[in-house]
């Protein structure tokens, strides 16, 4: 998709988005969703998967970019590709399996075969086309593919700005995640849990750095488990919500963790329970290891669909204006088998099929979706903390732990994209 050929927006977003409120129709209107597909999901960078999912040459895995079915492959040379899962002959799905290892794909309809880079290899009864090598068609290719610390992003716009420009300050948060590994590498190869939700994708994106809801939505879990996380989201907390630019935002919990100065508190454990991991970190990072072990991982929402929640990663993909899928997986740290087992167990317990946290959040998403479909009131307010925001030493807008600074940043960037000529 070339931005010069971008159609005018179907909707006037200046009438739906204001500095401290948004109109309920942005979560329900099919025309808004159609604009989003063109301008956000096909016109910008979207998180697709992780390079560790196709670790070996000729590995492949099926993924999504919005409603688009794509195949992420690694060719024999080690390069990662994103192919649209469609035969150029009659439009059949070429790849059926969710993952595997193959240097080629064969369409089941008429037997056309393709390399795992998308090029056409052959077609049966070739005399009907004038012989071999007479057709110059292949599987569709997502024109821009790039990765950062193995996080693979794609864009259907060949002229999209560089990925690092899109990530901006959020790249530093992914750096923080990688530094939790004694080898400086993250894997997302534990498998993805798929949660289909009857809610607009933006409700999920807003929620991920909303520090106002945990004490209420997750209060019962915090009380039963004795979690220390709840108090981090209160008006007395020293944690902050930070707008990182380009629609990205974070809940920066480091001020709270520094206050206690206890390694591994961010994971709800102690160094004594993971001595091998702590030793490996100190061996790799020296004196810096203490700070890394105290501060932990990031809690960051990368526009539009990548959410890193310290020990787990979420991939949000829309289906329609009123439905989306949220994929979740446990972070696995290269060189940390002792901790990885705990990471996986905690991920399943919080966002697995019977997970406690995701069940709470999903109920809220779906209640929100029903609510925004009501006629009155038309607008949703985003005023919380507006009068107490400040600019930090790096020039980023910062609010309190429970403030809606991240949501307002999301909507400012969203409006800029949706109104762009």
């Amino acid at each position: 998709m070339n931005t010069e050929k971008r159609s005018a927006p179907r909707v006037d977003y200046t009438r739906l988005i204001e500095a401290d409120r948004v109109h309920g129709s942005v979560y329900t209107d099919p025309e808004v969703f159609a604009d989003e597909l063109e301008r956000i999901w096909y016109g910008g960078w979207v998180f697709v998967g992780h390079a560790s999912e196709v670790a070996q040459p000729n590995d492949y895995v099926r993924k999504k970019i919005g409603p688009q079915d794509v195949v992420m492959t690694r060719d024999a040379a080690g390069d990662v590709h994103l192919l649209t899962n469609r035969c150029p002959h009659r439009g059949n799905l070429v790849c059926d399996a969710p993952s595997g290892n193959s240097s080629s794909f064969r369409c089941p309809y008429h037997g056309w075969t393709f390399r795992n880079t998308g090029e056409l290899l052959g077609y049966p009864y070739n005399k009907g086309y004038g012989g071999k090598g007479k057709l110059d068609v292949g599987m569709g290719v997502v024109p821009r593919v790039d990765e950062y610390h193995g996080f693979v992003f794609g864009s259907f716009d060949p002229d999209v700005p560089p990925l690092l420009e899109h990530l901006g300050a959020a790249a530093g948060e992914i750096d923080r995640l990688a530094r939790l590994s004694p080898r400086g590498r993250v894997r997302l190869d534990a498998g993805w849990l798929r949660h289909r939700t009857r809610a607009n994708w933006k409700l999920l994106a807003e929620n991920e750095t909303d520090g106002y809801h945990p004490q209420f939505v997750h209060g019962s879990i915090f009380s039963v488990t004795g979690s220390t996380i709840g108090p981090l989201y209160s008006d007395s907390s020293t944690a902050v919500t930070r707008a990182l630019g380009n629609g990205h935002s974070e809940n920066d919990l480091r001020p709270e963790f520094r206050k206690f100065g206890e390694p591994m508190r961010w994971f709800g454990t102690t160094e004594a329970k993971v001595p091998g991991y702590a030793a490996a970190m100190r061996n790799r990072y020296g004196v810096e290891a203490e700070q890394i072990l105290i501060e932990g991982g990031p809690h960051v929402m990368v526009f539009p669909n990548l959410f890193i929640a310290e020990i787990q990663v979420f991939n949000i993909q829309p289906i329609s204006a009123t439905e989306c899928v949220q994929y979740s997986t446990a972070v696995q740290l290269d060189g940390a088998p002792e901790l990885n087992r705990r990471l996986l167990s905690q991920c399943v317990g919080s966002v697995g099929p019977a997970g406690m946290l995701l069940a709470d959040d999903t109920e809220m998403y779906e209640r929100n979706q029903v609510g925004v479909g009501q006629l009155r009131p038309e607008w949703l307010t985003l005023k919380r903390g507006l009068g107490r925001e400040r600019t930090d030493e790096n020039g980023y807008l910062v609010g309190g732990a429970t403030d809606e600074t991240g949501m307002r940043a999301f909507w400012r960037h969203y409006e800029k994209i949706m109104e762009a000529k």
Side-chain angles (χ1 to χ4, degrees):
M1 179 182 297
N2 191 310
T3 52
E4 294 180 358
K5 299 178 181 179
R6 178 182 289 166
S7 60
R10 298 162 179 82
V11 177
D12 181 1
Y13 293 91
T14 61
R15 300 179 61 184
L16 301 179
I17 303 170
E18 297 182 1
D20 59 1
R21 64 178 190 169
V22 295
H23 196 270
S25 63
V26 296
Y27 304 95
T28 61
D29 189 342
E31 290 196 330
V32 169
F33 183 68
D35 280 342
E36 290 172 351
L37 289 182
E38 181 178 345
R39 291 167 173 265
I40 295 175
W41 298 95
Y42 305 155
W45 287 107
V46 174
F47 171 60
V48 181
H50 197 269
S52 60
E53 298 178 77
V54 286
Q56 301 301 318
N58 299 325
D59 279 354
Y60 68 88
V61 61
R62 283 175 68 179
K63 291 290 183 177
K64 289 284 188 178
I65 298 181
Q68 298 298 310
D69 192 320
V70 299
V71 187
M72 184 166 74
T73 70
R74 187 181 294 277
D75 65 23
D79 295 326
V80 174
H81 305 265
L82 296 176
L83 313 177
T84 56
N85 194 6
R86 169 177 159 173
C87 180
H89 177 215
R90 304 301 303 158
N92 208 282
L93 286 175
V94 173
C95 181
D96 293 321
S99 62
N101 182 278
S102 179
S103 62
S104 64
F105 301 106
R106 181 178 183 274
C107 177
Y109 196 6
H110 297 97
W112 286 28
T113 56
F114 307 88
R115 287 191 176 90
N116 60 7
T117 53
E119 294 93 343
L120 180 64
L121 278 173
Y123 37 92
Y125 310 136
N126 57 71
K127 291 181 181 178
Y129 295 100
K132 295 181 180 179
K134 298 298 183 180
L135 292 179
D136 186 22
V137 293
M139 294 175 68
V141 176
V142 177
R144 293 292 298 277
V145 182
D146 204 351
E147 59 182 87
Y148 189 75
H149 279 299
F151 287 81
V152 177
F153 296 79
S155 178
F156 283 98
D157 184 355
D159 301 320
V160 70
L163 175 62
L164 277 178
E165 185 177 324
H166 166 68
L167 291 177
E173 300 307 301
I174 300 176
D175 292 340
R176 281 183 59 199
L177 182 68
R179 282 172 64 83
L180 288 176
S181 161
R183 296 175 182 168
R185 293 193 297 268
V186 173
R187 304 195 317 270
L188 299 182
D189 56 359
W192 293 83
L193 296 162
R194 181 177 182 272
H195 299 268
R196 189 162 179 158
T197 304
R198 294 185 297 273
N200 185 277
W201 69 273
K202 297 187 293 298
L203 291 170
L204 280 65
E206 287 179 316
N207 180 78
E208 307 305 21
T209 51
D210 170 34
Y212 195 22
H213 81 277
Q215 289 278 30
F216 310 103
V217 176
H218 306 305
S220 61
I221 297 170
F222 294 156
S223 63
V224 169
T225 61
S227 172
T228 59
I229 298 299
L232 301 181
Y233 298 101
S234 68
D235 267 351
S236 62
S237 173
T238 58
V240 299
T241 307
R242 180 178 289 107
L244 297 173
N246 293 345
H248 318 314
S249 64
E250 69 166 333
N251 295 115
D252 189 352
L253 306 177
R254 286 175 291 182
E256 283 287 310
F257 295 137
R258 291 173 189 146
K259 184 170 64 177
F260 289 96
E262 299 171 2
M264 302 304 297
R265 184 182 178 90
W266 56 273
F267 188 54
T269 189
T270 63
E271 184 179 340
K273 293 184 178 179
V274 285
Y277 170 68
M281 289 292 285
R282 290 193 168 90
N283 184 58
R284 167 65 187 265
Y285 297 107
V287 294
E288 293 181 58
E290 193 72 17
Q291 180 180 359
I292 298 171
L293 291 172
I294 289 172
E295 294 181 346
H299 190 103
V300 60
M301 181 67 210
V302 180
F303 188 94
N305 70 318
L306 169 61
F307 174 43
I308 302 173
E310 293 98 12
I311 64 168
Q312 49 215 15
V313 169
F314 297 82
N315 178 354
I316 304 168
Q317 296 290 345
I319 297 174
S320 69
T322 59
E323 196 170 16
C324 68
V325 174
Q326 184 171 218
Y327 303 87
S328 58
T329 192
V331 169
Q332 298 287 273
L333 304 170
D334 216 21
E338 179 184 54
L339 183 60
N340 284 341
R341 290 189 293 271
R342 292 172 175 264
L343 292 169
L344 183 58
S345 176
Q346 190 159 323
C347 178
V348 172
S350 59
V351 299
M356 297 178 287
L357 292 176
L358 192 61
D360 287 345
D361 283 330
T362 299
E363 182 175 354
M364 293 301 109
Y365 304 147
E366 296 189 347
R367 288 171 65 96
N368 281 350
Q369 190 65 47
V370 174
V372 295
Q374 310 308 303
L375 295 176
R376 296 288 186 274
E378 294 184 38
W379 293 83
L380 283 71
T381 181
L382 293 171
K383 294 178 182 290
R384 184 166 180 79
L386 189 59
R388 59 184 180 186
E389 288 180 337
R390 60 181 174 83
T391 301
D392 70 9
E393 63 277 10
N394 296 312
Y396 301 119
L397 202 60
V398 171
T402 66
D403 290 347
E404 292 165 342
T405 302
M407 289 190 198
R408 289 189 289 270
F410 174 95
W411 285 107
R412 283 194 299 271
H413 185 66
Y414 176 95
E415 183 180 10
K416 178 181 177 181
I417 293 173
M418 302 301 274
E419 283 293 323
K421 304 300 183 185

